Amino acid sequence: MNKHRTAGALLLLASALIPFAAQAAEKPKVRAVTAFVQLDRARYREQVQETLVVLRRAKAVYEQVGYEVQSLRISTQPFPQYTRGLTMDEILTFFRELDTLAKKEGFDAAIGPAMLRDQDDPLQASLLGAILQSTNLSGSLVVAGEDGVYWNAVRTAAGLIKHWSENSPGGITNFNFAATAMVPPYTPFYPGSYHLGEGKRFAVALQSANVVAEALAASPDFEDARDALAVALGGHARAVEAIALQIEQETGWKYEGIDLSPAPLKDVSIGAAIEGLTRARFGSVGTMTAAALITDVLRDLPVKHAGYSGLMVPVLEDAVLAQRWSEGTISLDALLAYSAVCGTGLDTVPLPGDVTVEQLERIIGDMASLAVKLRKPLSARLMPVRGKKAGDKTEFNDPFLVNAEIQPLR
């Protein structure tokens, strides 16, 4: 069978699978199709154009069968690997040019972690600080791995977060940074996305909080909810994967999997989905069980998994979670507890502007310690707001963020 005939068969398979997903009012959205590129500074513009051909083809095919694609993304190997020998000014100029290209061509870009291991040069983190502050690029620091917590990286990450909170508008640069622990390469979600291979690979991230909400709301109990969610998400996951395999056949780019984490977006709320099952506010008894149930279903779906593939609880990206945070129903400790059975750790958490570097170290250290203990991917995206104290409301002016009342650190 030739390549085009195989691709057509996969597209027919994807179309056939969709009606069996769930009788949902809406399909999940594809949050991102993320390509992984071994960036060569001398020919990066050519590489970007080659990659966009693949990404735009993927977008077209997904949308042909009704899956809206929200973003196209390009992630690189850790940036210190392709900026060796450059001065600070040359590095900043290069990344500003990459950022300008991303805006022009309509893609997001992540430049990988500044530090992969505890012995890596912390000066690279200082470079990351300057790069992210002057661009819209995303980046990260790895603060834990199979060999334990990387305390030098923890301290460095805390210092960066504090610096950005005081030196970027409203501290918004922290939205594009994550301290990551045990997060594998080829994760399609940002900002902790990177790779260590040869490139020419891609992965898919879903935004399926709406599908989860519909499945859980129609379920009278946890047992029925598990079955309903497996049916609702399973058909869509297989359809999305069939299309990814078509793209692999057409382009020769290797498919690395789907991150099934049901990402929310403001009013498309995973908090509301869980409340539809528990019939109580997020943070009440039963929330832990619901979080575990969703993650268990996701991890049992018979597709190739990438990234976190667990429940996401991003406080400031979800209208219901932001409200529950404002009410004090959920806290840092509660989010860490739920992280034991779900996906991402501490995501878009608003903090008082007077949080100290030492307190940030402890927060990141708690997340990293949990990730190492449980051998699972977690991250911290913390957002202190300069001049704001407990009881004040954040004032982010960003299409992806919901504002919430800041809670005291305990």
Side-chain angles (χ1 to χ4, degrees):
M1 184 178 290
N2 68 36
K3 179 173 69 175
H4 297 294
R5 191 171 300 170
T6 301
L10 287 165
L11 182 57
L12 286 172
L13 173 61
S15 300
L17 285 168
I18 292 168
F20 296 98
Q23 302 306 311
E26 296 181 73
K27 295 182 177 72
K29 292 181 173 62
V30 173
R31 181 66 158 261
V33 183
T34 303
F36 300 92
V37 177
Q38 183 75 13
L39 201 70
D40 178 349
R41 208 173 63 246
R43 57 181 296 268
Y44 79 96
R45 291 181 181 275
E46 178 186 347
Q47 288 181 301
V48 165
Q49 295 305 323
E50 291 171 350
T51 304
L52 288 173
V53 170
V54 176
L55 290 176
R56 288 167 179 162
R57 174 58 181 158
K59 177 180 170 70
V61 179
Y62 277 118
E63 294 186 342
Q64 183 179 342
V65 293
Y67 289 106
E68 179 184 336
V69 176
Q70 289 197 321
S71 66
L72 303 179
R73 301 178 177 183
I74 296 176
S75 297
T76 75
Q77 72 272 38
F79 75 88
Q81 296 180 11
Y82 55 88
T83 56
R84 292 189 185 100
L86 297 184
T87 66
M88 168 71 89
D89 286 345
E90 289 170 334
I91 290 171
L92 291 178
T93 296
F94 171 74
F95 284 116
R96 285 171 184 150
E97 289 175 353
L98 177 61
D99 187 44
T100 298
L101 182 61
K103 291 173 186 173
K104 177 184 175 183
E105 296 290 351
F107 68 93
D108 300 321
I111 61 174
M115 298 172 66
L116 277 171
R117 296 174 181 79
D118 220 21
Q119 63 269 30
D120 287 349
D121 184 359
L123 289 177
Q124 297 297 330
S126 298
L127 280 174
L128 181 66
I131 294 164
L132 297 195
Q133 194 170 325
S134 61
T135 67
N136 289 311
L137 304 173
S138 292
S140 61
L141 258 71
V142 177
V143 297
E146 293 288 345
D147 51 345
V149 177
Y150 303 155
W151 291 107
N152 288 331
V154 167
R155 286 186 285 272
T156 303
L160 284 176
I161 292 167
K162 183 64 175 176
H163 171 78
W164 287 321
S165 74
E166 296 178 342
N167 294 280
S168 66
I172 193 62
T173 298
N174 278 309
F175 185 54
N176 294 330
F177 171 78
T180 67
M182 310 285 290
V183 175
Y186 306 113
T187 296
F189 278 111
Y190 278 17
S193 181
Y194 71 103
H195 76 96
L196 299 173
E198 297 178 353
K200 291 200 170 183
R201 303 178 184 221
F202 71 98
V204 180
L206 292 187
Q207 181 182 301
S208 57
N210 59 327
V211 178
V212 175
E214 189 168 9
L216 298 188
S219 303
D221 54 41
F222 286 102
E223 188 172 29
D224 284 346
R226 182 184 298 273
D227 294 338
L229 187 56
V231 172
L233 283 178
H236 287 303
R238 291 190 293 275
V240 168
E241 178 157 273
I243 293 168
L245 291 170
Q246 172 188 342
I247 301 305
E248 182 180 62
Q249 288 278 347
E250 286 186 8
T251 66
W253 284 56
K254 184 179 178 182
Y255 163 62
E256 286 291 339
I258 308 176
D259 192 326
L260 292 166
S261 304
L265 184 59
K266 301 179 88 167
D267 291 331
V268 183
S269 167
I270 197 66
I274 288 176
E275 291 185 355
L277 174 62
T278 63
R279 278 55 166 181
R281 292 190 303 173
F282 189 99
S284 303
V285 292
T287 301
M288 178 76 79
T289 303
L293 181 154
I294 294 169
T295 298
D296 287 348
V297 168
L298 296 175
R299 292 181 177 170
D300 285 344
L301 292 180
V303 293
K304 186 175 182 179
H305 292 251
Y308 300 94
S309 285
L311 178 69
M312 282 186 168
V313 191
V315 174
L316 293 183
E317 290 187 310
D318 183 305
V320 170
L321 295 178
Q323 179 62 31
R324 300 298 173 247
W325 181 270
S326 297
E327 295 166 353
T329 306
I330 52 177
S331 63
L332 278 171
D333 285 344
L335 292 174
L336 280 170
Y338 301 143
S339 293
V341 297
C342 69
T344 54
L346 303 172
D347 199 10
T348 62
V349 177
L351 297 174
D354 63 358
V355 63
T356 67
V357 173
E358 290 75 18
Q359 287 173 313
L360 290 168
E361 287 176 18
R362 293 178 197 136
I363 294 168
I364 297 167
D366 281 350
M367 177 279 300
S369 296
L370 185 64
V372 170
K373 177 67 176 177
L374 298 179
R375 290 293 188 266
K376 65 181 300 180
L378 296 174
S379 56
R381 185 160 43 157
L382 308 176
M383 304 186 68
V385 185
R386 183 180 181 182
K388 299 287 187 181
K389 60 184 184 302
D392 293 338
K393 195 166 187 178
T394 63
E395 296 178 342
F396 293 111
N397 182 24
D398 187 283
F400 297 104
L401 295 177
V402 181
N403 286 302
E405 187 175 301
I406 292 172
Q407 299 299 315
L409 285 175
R410 297 181 175 86

